[in-house]
Amino acid sequence: MRELNVALIGYNFMGKAHSYAIGNAAFFFPQEVKPVKKVIAGRNEPGLKRAAEQFGWQEYTTDWREAVGRSDIDIVCIATPTSSHKEIAVAAAKAGKHVLCEKPLGMNAGEARQMWEAAHQAGVIHMIGHNYRRVPAIALAKKLIDDGKLGDIYHFRGVYLQDWLSDPAAPMSWRLDKRIAGAGAHGDLNAHLIDLARYLVGDMERVVGMEKTFVTRRTKALGDKPPNGEESEEADRLEDVTVDDAAAFLARFKNGALGTFEASRMAGGRKNHERIEINGSKGSLAFHFERMNELEFWSREDDPETQGYRTILATEEVHPYMQAWWPPGHPLGYQNTFVNQFADLIRAILAGEQVQPNFYDGWMCNLVLDAVSRSVQSLTWEHAEPAAAELHETAGR
C-alpha cells in the first residue's frame, strides 16, 4: 500500500487531535493510501519528545523548516498559534506539500489571502481545520437545507460560550496575547460560527459588532518570568490582556437572511457551548455541540396535531460519515470529527480535487472577522469585502 508521509507542526491540544486523526483515518476509512506519522515539530524539546512517543510519531525535530523541506513529506499539518500559520503554510505550499492548517487561517485577511494565493499557485490540496463541518449532524443539516427542507432562510443565530477565563485569577495564556493569537474569543470561537454560517446559509454582506475585555491584566502563566527576572513586585507578576474576552455581532447575508453571533470565554458554567439555530420559510433546525450526535428539526409541512421539533439521532448508516463508524445509536465524540476531516483530505488528494473548507474559505472567514473588528472601532456597519469573492470567481478555487 502506498504511504503518504505527514509532518505535524505543533504538539499540544490540536497536535494531539491531529495525531489521533492521522493514526485512525485509514482504520475507519480504508483508501488506497496509508497516512504515516513521520515527523512532529515543536520548539520545546522535552515536551516535543514526550508527545512524539505518546502520539506515535517516528521522528521529531525542533526546526519546522527542516520538517517542511524534507523530500519524503507529502502533507504538512499546522497546529501552531495563529501568528506562525502564514510562514509555515506558504513555505509548505512552495515546497509542493499538501497543507492542513488550523483556524483562523491568518492573523488577518491579508495574511489569509497570501496563504490562499501561495497554495493555489502551487497547485497543492489545501484545507482549513473547521472540524465542526465533519460532525454528522451538521453534515445532515447541510443536506436538509440543500434539499429545500427549510425553504428560504430567514435567520441564523449562533453562540459559542466557554468559561475558562471567567475566574479573574485564571493565568495568562498565549491566546490572550494579540501578537500571537490575533484576537480573543472573536477569532477563536466566532471563526467557527462564521464558517458554519457560510457553510449552511451563505456569504455575509455587512456586519456590525462589539467586544469587551473584562479582565485586562492576568497573572503570568506558570514558568513565565518577567523581563527583569524579578518576582517581588505585583506589577512584575501581571501581564496585559490584549484581546477580547467576548465579542458579538449582527450580520446581513447576501441572500437576505439575518444573523446574530456571540462568542465568550467568560460565560460561567458553559464549557464548550456551541449552539446554532436556523429558521426558514418551511422549517427550522438547531444543533448543540455538547449533544453533537443530535439534530433538532421542525417542519411546517408536518401535521399540525403533531407538529413540533423532533430530535434526530444522526447515527444511522444513511447519515453522513456514519457508514464508516458504529451501529445505530453508538455516538461519536469530538476526536472523531478530526478523523472524518483527515479522511476527506486524503480522499481529495487521491482524486486531485480541492477539498472544502480550504484556504479560500479561511480567507473569507478572516474577511468577516476583520470587518467585525473594524466595526467595533467605527461604531457602524462594515462591508465584509465582497470584492474578494468576485476575485475568487475569476481565479477559480
Side-chain angles (χ1 to χ4, degrees):
M1 179 179 288
R2 178 186 162 205
E3 295 181 343
L4 285 176
N5 290 330
V6 184
L8 173 63
I9 319 300
Y11 61 90
N12 287 316
F13 174 32
M14 282 296 102
K16 185 175 185 178
H18 288 292
S19 294
Y20 181 88
I22 296 162
N24 286 279
F27 183 91
F28 290 98
F29 296 87
Q31 301 185 65
E32 301 95 83
V33 299
K34 177 183 178 182
V36 176
K37 290 184 280 188
K38 196 68 177 178
V39 58
I40 186 171
R43 292 179 299 177
N44 184 305
E45 186 167 5
L48 176 64
K49 183 179 179 181
R50 286 193 299 271
E53 294 172 351
Q54 180 183 350
F55 303 159
W57 289 86
Q58 293 182 6
E59 305 171 38
Y60 71 88
T61 177
T62 55
D63 184 356
W64 67 260
R65 293 174 181 83
E66 176 192 344
V68 167
R70 286 174 50 157
S71 60
D72 61 341
I73 294 300
D74 302 294
I75 304 171
V76 173
C77 292
I78 304 170
T80 59
T82 314
S83 59
S84 60
H85 285 183
K86 187 192 80 168
E87 185 179 12
I88 300 172
V90 170
K94 289 182 176 179
K97 317 300 184 185
H98 305 299
V99 192
L100 168 60
C101 183
E102 267 305 316
K103 60 83 212 162
L105 187 60
M107 294 282 281
N108 51 57
E111 282 197 357
R113 176 174 178 170
Q114 292 177 55
M115 294 167 71
W116 173 74
E117 288 176 341
H120 181 68
Q121 291 168 8
V124 298
I125 304 301
H126 45 93
M127 187 181 208
I128 184 169
H130 282 297
N131 60 299
Y132 292 133
R133 288 201 191 193
R134 267 63 194 188
V135 176
I138 288 291
L140 175 61
K142 172 66 170 174
K143 183 178 186 301
L144 293 176
I145 292 170
D146 289 349
D147 288 346
K149 300 294 187 183
L150 269 63
D152 297 328
I153 303 301
Y154 296 150
H155 297 287
F156 173 94
R157 62 184 61 85
V159 298
Y160 202 154
L161 309 177
Q162 298 177 344
D163 73 350
W164 61 280
L165 289 176
S166 58
D167 183 352
M172 189 67 178
S173 161
W174 68 264
R175 291 185 179 275
L176 306 182
D177 187 338
K178 189 176 182 66
R179 298 168 302 174
I180 302 173
H186 183 48
D188 184 21
L189 304 181
N190 268 337
H192 275 302
L193 295 177
I194 291 167
D195 183 71
L196 287 179
R198 289 190 64 250
Y199 178 53
L200 298 171
V201 178
D203 282 312
M204 287 164 241
E205 194 170 57
R206 290 183 294 160
V207 296
V208 62
M210 59 181 175
E211 64 180 37
K212 176 75 173 180
T213 304
F214 295 102
V215 180
T216 58
R217 305 197 80 197
R218 290 187 181 270
T219 305
K220 286 180 171 63
L222 185 65
D224 285 353
K225 293 182 178 180
N228 60 11
E230 298 176 359
E231 297 282 359
S232 56
E233 298 294 329
E234 180 68 19
D236 290 334
R237 298 201 302 269
L238 296 175
E239 288 183 299
D240 291 333
V241 174
T242 53
V243 300
D244 57 283
D245 284 328
F249 70 95
L250 306 177
R252 289 186 179 275
F253 289 83
K254 291 183 178 180
N255 61 11
L258 302 181
T260 64
F261 299 74
E262 180 188 5
S264 178
R265 295 161 167 170
M266 305 288 283
R270 297 299 189 187
K271 303 305 176 183
N272 199 45
H273 182 91
E274 182 191 40
R275 190 179 190 280
I276 64 170
E277 182 172 319
I278 301 174
N279 310 116
S281 60
K282 293 172 58 178
S284 298
L285 58 81
F287 170 80
H288 182 193
F289 182 71
E290 290 178 349
R291 302 178 68 90
M292 63 172 281
N293 292 277
E294 299 176 359
L295 181 69
E296 296 178 66
F297 175 63
W298 175 88
S299 176
R300 188 179 300 280
E301 297 175 348
D302 287 346
D303 188 320
E305 286 188 335
T306 56
Q307 194 177 70
Y309 269 99
R310 71 190 74 166
T311 300
I312 302 169
L313 185 62
T315 60
E316 298 287 339
E317 192 171 310
V318 296
H319 293 139
Y321 298 105
M322 290 309 301
Q323 67 277 7
W325 291 97
W326 314 115
H330 292 70
L332 301 191
Y334 175 71
Q335 73 280 9
N336 303 127
T337 65
F338 291 89
V339 177
N340 294 343
Q341 175 177 268
F342 199 78
D344 281 348
L345 175 62
I346 296 298
R347 189 176 296 112
I349 291 172
L350 290 175
E353 299 176 353
Q354 198 51 259
V355 70
Q356 291 183 333
N358 53 51
F359 283 11
Y360 173 79
D361 299 287
W363 175 22
M364 294 300 104
C365 181
N366 266 118
L367 284 170
V368 177
L369 289 170
D370 286 4
V372 173
S373 296
R374 290 197 306 273
S375 80
V376 171
Q377 300 301 317
S378 68
L379 301 179
T380 188
W381 287 86
E382 295 282 349
H383 286 276
E385 304 287 353
E390 296 166 10
L391 172 64
H392 165 65
E393 293 302 325
T394 60
R397 248 180 225 277

